[in-house]
Amino acid sequence: SMSHAGPANSHIRRATSAEAGLLSEIARTAKAHWGYTEGDLARWTPGLTVAPRSIAGHPTFVIEIDGVAVGFCQLAVGEEQA
């Protein structure tokens, strides 16, 4: 089990495919933080959506603070990115 304890009761762990909706919501919330319009956010939904197969196929990690998921990262090794 790979985990890491850090400041502010943070914890990094592997994501599960069942968390695709949660990670998609985190991505959208993070993008919305910058003040983009709802129209922009709607247009970008495909790029902000995390699919279960993507989590299953790539190392994906969630950071929790006090047990609440607040961010994530996904590694794409050796792949072309748009």
Side-chain angles (χ1 to χ4, degrees):
S1 170
M2 179 182 279
S3 66
H4 171 76
N9 300 312
S10 65
H11 177 75
I12 297 172
R13 61 171 176 77
R14 289 296 290 257
T16 67
S17 295
E19 294 177 302
L22 171 64
L23 301 192
S24 297
E25 183 59 31
I26 290 171
R28 188 185 194 286
T29 300
K31 186 64 93 172
H33 169 79
W34 297 103
Y36 293 109
T37 66
E38 282 299 318
D40 285 336
L41 293 170
R43 212 169 57 248
W44 297 331
T45 294
L48 297 172
T49 300
V50 180
R53 70 182 173 278
S54 180
I55 296 170
H58 300 88
T60 306
F61 301 90
V62 174
I63 184 165
E64 298 177 332
I65 296 177
D66 293 327
V68 177
V70 297
F72 73 95
C73 71
Q74 185 174 77
L75 305 177
V77 179
E79 295 182 24
E80 289 292 323
Q81 296 296 310

